[in-house]
Amino acid sequence: MMTRRDVLLKCAALGSLKLVAPARGLMQALSAFEAQERNPAATQWNEIGPFYKRLAPNVSHLRAPGDPGLPLAVHGRVLDTRGNTLPGATIEIWQADHRGLYDLDGYRYRASLQSDSAGTYAFDSVMPGHYPARVCQHIHYIVTAPGHAPLITQLYFATDPVFDGDPDRNYTRDPLVLSRELIRPVLLSGDPNAIQASVNFEVVLERL
Amino acid sequence: MTRARLSVCAALVCGWCATLGAQQLPTEVAALSTPSPATMVVFARTGGVAAAICDDGRLRVWSIPDGSLLRAIELGSRKLDIIAISSDGRSIAGGDHAGAYTVWDASTGAPRMAVKMRFYPMAMVFSPDGARLAIAPVGEPVQIYDLSSQRMLVELQRPIGGSAALAFSPDGSRLAAGDADTAVRVYDAHTGRLLATNSDFVLEPLAAAFTADGKQLVTGGADKITATLDAATGKKIRQSSKLDDPVSALDVSPDGRLVAATLLHADNMLMPAPVIISDAASGRSVMKWLPTTLALGGGWTADGRLLVATSDDKAVHVWRVH
């Protein structure tokens, strides 16, 4: 598996990176990446919203066969601020369906997951719709791990039409999006009749 | 979705209403003139003062029922998320989206207290005597302030996600909180000591109100029920049958006989949702009323009237529902 360092070196070798002073600039960039890998910043907090529900099932396939909406795969790691992966972390997620509606009576599009031995987690879902009283598409997270401060946050999508293709400039259109960092790029794959969206969302917890 | 809307009581204008016993239809008792629509309205327990956040960046205060404007407080660039009013109508508290909180003198418009916090408010409530203000900033512990000294008296424990509902007991000695971790907690309002916890909800309790004798606590929320708890132990005494939507606001009548519950349209909280009046002792529904426009606030007055507000671009409409 390629590391970020490998990718950066390969990009430089292929001329994908424009370096003013190639050798020095490359090393600086590498140092920055490696520092971030070693000491990632804690993931930004975001409000919990009103529809959290306890006792969600431990299921990673939230999207049932035939469910309408854009299939969405979310994956990532749970880390601490020293860059250590956190196996056994609990990741509670909940979201609206493709129409923007929450299931309050059952547990559709709700799950309580555990990170694996490598600190990774993944689930299959659908791209959430726009809840009528909320600006952005989003997925709620509560992440807990022993010895770490619980994290409440939300995942947003750079492809959300609300951002007009420019989340850097337009993320404040939703007053509840307090950090650009929570808006993640979306990888679209598959043929036009079966497009799948994929998002990486790494979660960094603060140690107590 | 935003939880700030949860502090806005959903209304009950027209639409349909079903009553048991004598027919009693809502009547408009005041039209409070405003050049821009209101987004939240509060009534003093006296029934003589109303205040509203208006879209033109002003906090307006009216005398009711005559409807005369007492004060229009210029907010500048501040965007208030929610407001609260003391029982006597003399103090109005507002919290904005940047985490700045102010208490104004309702008659002069002068600030009485200003506090800066990390985040915007989820809930605020004055103690019954108006001397203290409890603030629940989103995701943060509840803080109780003394208005005369402008100092924080106590900070409650930190539930994950903060608190969405606050209620003082009638004697001001206890504070109940509906917390985002789905528990209802009752604290000593002077020391902050946790007195009782109820963990029967699986979704967030969004509303709480003590009964008139302070012995019971009526709660409700996204579980779509109301539950009456023993305020001393937290143990559930009874619960309603399943409602159509979450409960967003609760208030107990001064004589303790009736409970008003405002629901929240779960699929679109901007749409009007019913208000239900039920018998406090039995839980039996007395009246259910679906408004045609979203209610922006309401509550019982000391003389036993239930007032609810709606708004358009010309006026805040005050409806007597009971």
Side-chain angles (χ1 to χ4, degrees), chain A residues 45-55 100-105 107 110 131-134 138 140 142 144 150 152 175-176 178, chain B residues 1-3 6 97 119-120 138-139 160-161 180-182 199-204 206 222 224 242 246 264-270:
Chain A
W45 171 90
N46 211 191
E47 79 159 69
I48 192 169
F51 294 148
Y52 165 66
K53 189 172 185 178
R54 287 192 295 122
L55 309 176
L101 305 180
Y102 289 89
D103 180 12
L104 301 185
D105 299 318
Y107 285 92
R110 297 174 182 272
Y131 184 81
R134 181 72 196 276
H138 58 282
H140 297 270
I142 296 179
T144 53
I152 298 170
L176 297 187
L178 304 177
Chain B
M1 65 179 291
T2 170
R3 291 201 303 173
L6 297 174
H97 205 68
F119 290 121
Y120 49 90
V138 65
I160 292 179
D181 65 359
T182 77
S199 301
D200 289 338
F201 290 102
V202 291
L203 286 133
E204 189 173 2
L206 304 171
K224 302 182 182 178
K242 192 92 167 181
L264 168 78
H265 199 296
D267 294 342
N268 184 350
M269 59 175 66
L270 301 179

Side-chain angles (χ1 to χ4, degrees), chain B residues 260-296:
Chain B
T262 304
L263 305 192
L264 168 78
H265 199 296
D267 294 342
N268 184 350
M269 59 175 66
L270 301 179
M271 291 177 59
V275 170
I276 299 171
I277 300 175
S278 57
D279 182 87
S282 67
R284 187 169 53 90
S285 176
V286 175
M287 172 189 279
K288 181 179 180 183
W289 193 10
L290 179 65
T292 55
T293 59
L294 184 68
L296 303 173

Side-chain angles (χ1 to χ4, degrees), chain A residues 111-177:
Chain A
S112 179
L113 310 169
Q114 300 283 319
S115 58
D116 63 16
S117 58
T120 64
Y121 76 95
F123 61 92
D124 293 321
S125 185
V126 296
M127 184 64 77
H130 289 87
Y131 184 81
R134 181 72 196 276
V135 179
C136 286
Q137 300 163 305
H138 58 282
I139 297 178
H140 297 270
Y141 277 67
I142 296 179
V143 186
T144 53
H148 296 79
L151 173 71
I152 298 170
T153 194
Q154 297 182 34
L155 163 64
Y156 301 96
F157 306 95
T159 51
D160 192 327
V162 167
F163 300 132
D164 277 340
D166 191 352
D168 286 343
R169 180 187 297 257
N170 297 324
Y171 77 92
T172 55
R173 287 180 177 178
D174 186 334
L176 297 187
V177 181

Side-chain angles (χ1 to χ4, degrees), chain A residues 15-203:
Chain A
S16 299
L17 290 176
K18 295 178 180 177
L19 302 176
V20 178
R24 188 174 174 187
L26 177 59
M27 294 314 295
Q28 285 176 340
L30 272 174
S31 296
F33 270 119
E34 287 172 350
Q36 190 178 359
E37 290 259 305
R38 280 196 305 271
N39 299 300
T43 301
Q44 292 286 317
W45 171 90
N46 211 191
E47 79 159 69
I48 192 169
F51 294 148
Y52 165 66
K53 189 172 185 178
R54 287 192 295 122
L55 309 176
N58 184 354
V59 293
S60 58
H61 296 289
L62 281 63
R63 177 171 55 88
D67 272 4
L70 175 64
L72 170 68
V74 179
H75 57 94
R77 292 181 301 169
V78 183
L79 307 165
D80 66 16
T81 49
R82 294 180 183 175
N84 301 312
T85 55
L86 296 177
T90 299
I91 305 115
E92 292 181 89
I93 59 103
W94 66 103
Q95 65 166 88
D97 65 13
H98 76 290
R99 300 168 299 170
L101 305 180
Y102 289 89
D103 180 12
L104 301 185
D105 299 318
Y107 285 92
R108 290 301 314 278
Y109 298 109
R110 297 174 182 272
S112 179
L113 310 169
Q114 300 283 319
S115 58
D116 63 16
S117 58
T120 64
Y121 76 95
F123 61 92
D124 293 321
S125 185
V126 296
M127 184 64 77
H130 289 87
Y131 184 81
R134 181 72 196 276
V135 179
C136 286
Q137 300 163 305
H138 58 282
I139 297 178
H140 297 270
Y141 277 67
I142 296 179
V143 186
T144 53
H148 296 79
L151 173 71
I152 298 170
T153 194
Q154 297 182 34
L155 163 64
Y156 301 96
F157 306 95
T159 51
D160 192 327
V162 167
F163 300 132
D164 277 340
D166 191 352
D168 286 343
R169 180 187 297 257
N170 297 324
Y171 77 92
T172 55
R173 287 180 177 178
D174 186 334
L176 297 187
V177 181
L178 304 177
S179 169
R180 165 66 178 86
E181 175 195 322
L182 298 176
I183 303 168
R184 297 303 167 102
V186 178
L187 174 65
L188 297 174
S189 58
D191 65 57
N193 295 321
I195 291 179
Q196 164 97 24
S198 176
V199 172
N200 178 272
F201 187 44
E202 297 206 330
V203 176

